[in-house]
Amino acid sequence: MKKALLLAAALAVTTSASAAGKLEIFSWWSGDEGPALEALIKLYKQKYPAVTVDNATVSGGAGTNAKAVLKTRMLGGTPPDSFQAHAGQELIGTWVVAGRMEDLSSLFKSEGWDKVFPKDLVKLISQGGKPWSVPVNVHRSNVMWYNPAKLKAWGVTAPKTWPEFLKTCSTLKAKGVAAPLVVGENWTQQHLWESVMIGTLGSANWENLWAGKLKFTDPKVVGAFTTFGKVMDCANKDASGLSWQQASDRIIDGTSAFNVMGDWAAGYFTTTKKLAPNTGFGWAPAPGTTKTFVMLADSFGLPKGAKDRAEAINWLKVLGSKAGQDAFNPLKGSIAARTDSDLSKYNTYSKSAAADWKSNKIVGSMVHGAVAPESFTSAFGAIIDQFVASKNSAAAAAAAQQLAVRAGISK
C-alpha cells in the first residue's frame, strides 16, 4: 500500500512546471519513420522545455538491432528511460516476466486511459490484470499494396484469395513482369508468411495456433506452408538485399505489382514519397483476409531503475494523450490506439483502417510480437530462410512445432 501511495505521489508531481533534467528515448524509428517520432519529441519539448531529450535510435531490421542493444543494457543494469516494444508478448514475455518493468496501473488510472483504449488492446498489454506499456498506435499487418495505374495497364486487379493471387502471378509473368510480388529481407518474408497463413487457415485457426490448440504439424498448417512456397515463387530473387522501403519503391516504379507490408508503408508513401492515396498508391486486405484486421501496436514502458524516471513518466503521458497520438500517427501511417482520435487529421487510408479497426475480426501479429514471445519470434526467421531455400513444407512445419514447444506455446 505504501509503495502504491509513493508511486501515485510521484505521478502527481511530474508536471510541466517541475519537470527538468534529461530523457533518453530508445527506439528503432529512424529514416522514413523518423518524422513521426520527431513530432512526439517536439510536443514533449513544448510541454517540458527544460528537459534535454536524447533520441537514442538504433535502426535496422524492424527492431532486431535495437532489441539486441536493449538486451545488453537491460541485463547490464543500465536501462534507457523508456523504450519502444511491440505491445503484447514481446514485452511481457521478455521483460515483464523477468521483473524488470514497472506496473503502469496508476498512470492508466490518472490519465483515464482505461476509458479510451479498447478493452481488447488493454488486455493485450496486460499481465496479471496490470498494464505494462503505453500503446502509441495501432498498425495493420495484412495489407497488400499496389500501383493503381500499373494494375490498370496490366489488366489485373488485387486478388482476393491466395489461389487467385497465383493465377494473377501467372498472368503478369506472361505479360513480362518478372517478379509480380516484391519482398525484402528476412523479416519481410516472415511478414508475408503471416498473411498467407491467416489467409489460408482462417482467423480462428490462427488464434488456435498460438493458443496451443493447433499444432504446426497439422496438415492444414503444412498445406499453408506449401501455399507460401508457391507465393514466394512469384517474388524477386534479390530479396535479402532489400529493405522494406526499397521493396515498396518497386511498387511505385512498376517493377513489381504487389507487396504485402504493414501500413507503415502508407506513411512512407505519403510522407516520404509524397504520393496521394488511391492514385499514387492503392491497397487491399492481403488475400484471404478480408474482414480480418491483423494488428500490432508500438508501445513504450517504464523499466525499473530508469535514471530519469520522472521525465520518462511525462514521456508516457504525452504518448498516451490525444494530442500525442494525433501528432504521431498521421505521419507514421498508423491509426491512434485511442478511440477518440480526430480523424480529420488522417488521410484516406488511415480513415479506412480506423473503420476496419472498429468492424473487423481482430487478431494479433506473430511477426511483430503480439501473440508470440520473443523466444519464438527471434528464432523463427531461420526456419523461414531454410524453407525458402528448400520449399520443404513438412520439415518447416516440424521445426516450427519444435520451436513452439520450446517457447511454451504448444505441447
Side-chain angles (χ1 to χ4, degrees):
M1 182 67 179
K2 182 178 180 181
K3 183 177 180 180
L5 290 172
L6 288 173
L7 176 58
L11 294 174
V13 299
T14 54
T15 64
S16 57
S18 63
K22 299 179 180 180
L23 170 69
E24 182 189 14
I25 304 163
F26 187 90
S27 79
W28 58 80
W29 286 324
S30 62
D32 299 300
E33 295 178 298
L37 177 58
E38 288 297 333
L40 282 173
I41 293 174
K42 180 179 179 181
L43 185 61
Y44 182 88
K45 288 181 176 179
Q46 288 173 352
K47 291 179 67 65
Y48 310 103
V51 178
T52 300
V53 178
D54 177 9
N55 181 7
T57 297
V58 178
S59 62
T64 302
N65 298 338
K67 292 169 194 174
V69 175
L70 177 66
K71 182 177 181 180
T72 299
R73 292 189 58 179
M74 292 289 281
L75 295 180
T78 57
D81 295 324
S82 186
F83 63 86
Q84 177 189 3
H86 289 131
Q89 286 301 312
E90 179 175 292
L91 177 71
I92 293 170
T94 304
W95 300 120
V96 173
V97 297
R100 295 180 179 270
M101 302 299 296
E102 288 201 36
D103 166 21
L104 300 180
S105 296
S106 296
L107 187 57
F108 268 67
K109 185 176 181 180
S110 68
E111 299 302 298
W113 290 336
D114 53 340
K115 296 180 178 64
V116 294
F117 290 144
K119 291 182 179 179
D120 287 345
L121 181 58
V122 174
K123 182 179 179 181
L124 181 73
I125 60 177
S126 298
Q127 177 92 334
K130 301 174 182 178
W132 298 94
S133 65
V134 179
V136 67
N137 65 0
V138 169
H139 270 300
R140 188 175 195 173
S141 162
N142 59 315
V143 188
M144 175 171 274
W145 305 95
Y146 56 86
N147 182 327
K150 294 301 295 185
L151 291 199
K152 183 177 181 179
W154 288 321
V156 300
T157 58
K160 297 185 183 300
T161 67
W162 286 112
E164 183 182 337
F165 169 84
L166 295 175
K167 292 179 181 179
T168 303
C169 172
S170 297
T171 298
L172 288 168
K173 284 187 174 183
K175 291 178 179 289
V177 182
L181 176 71
V182 60
V183 294
E185 58 189 309
N186 177 277
W187 76 265
T188 74
Q189 296 167 45
Q190 295 182 59
H191 187 106
L192 172 64
W193 173 88
E194 178 172 273
S195 277
V196 173
M197 281 285 151
I198 297 170
T200 305
L201 296 174
S203 58
N205 278 327
W206 176 254
E207 291 178 324
N208 287 339
L209 197 61
W210 306 110
K213 297 177 182 179
L214 178 68
K215 293 186 176 182
F216 280 86
T217 49
D218 185 283
K220 292 189 291 291
V221 183
V222 176
F225 263 105
T226 299
T227 298
F228 174 63
K230 293 177 180 179
V231 170
M232 283 297 293
D233 286 339
C234 295
N236 51 305
K237 305 306 179 185
D238 61 345
S240 63
L242 298 183
S243 67
W244 71 264
Q245 294 98 326
Q246 290 170 322
S248 297
D249 288 341
R250 294 193 182 181
I251 299 301
I252 298 170
D253 65 23
T255 301
S256 294
F258 303 110
N259 174 238
V260 174
M261 184 46 56
D263 56 12
W264 45 91
Y268 176 67
F269 290 141
T270 56
T271 304
T272 303
K273 294 298 182 178
K274 309 300 182 184
L275 298 174
N278 289 325
T279 54
F281 66 96
W283 64 91
T289 67
T290 300
K291 299 298 182 182
T292 299
F293 194 115
V294 186
M295 70 144 289
L296 59 141
D298 293 298
S299 68
F300 283 75
L302 182 63
K304 291 181 178 178
K307 187 176 180 181
D308 305 295
R309 184 176 179 277
E311 288 76 15
I313 290 172
N314 283 333
W315 168 248
L316 296 179
K317 288 181 178 180
V318 170
L319 293 183
S321 69
K322 182 177 179 180
Q325 302 216 345
D326 284 344
F328 175 83
N329 287 295
L331 296 175
K332 183 68 164 61
S334 48
I335 58 176
R338 296 176 64 110
T339 56
D340 60 348
S341 61
D342 181 359
L343 290 180
S344 69
K345 298 179 181 292
Y346 293 75
N347 66 25
T348 303
Y349 168 76
S350 295
K351 289 176 181 176
S352 75
D356 288 345
W357 173 242
K358 294 179 181 179
S359 64
N360 284 194
K361 166 67 177 175
I362 307 297
V363 298
S365 165
M366 178 283 290
V367 180
H368 301 286
V371 295
E374 195 170 0
S375 56
F376 183 95
T377 58
S378 62
F380 187 68
I383 294 175
I384 291 297
D385 272 342
Q386 187 171 2
F387 173 75
V388 170
S390 69
K391 300 293 170 54
N392 189 328
S393 300
Q401 179 61 27
Q402 292 175 0
L403 179 58
V405 171
R406 292 198 301 271
I409 296 168
S410 184
K411 295 181 179 179

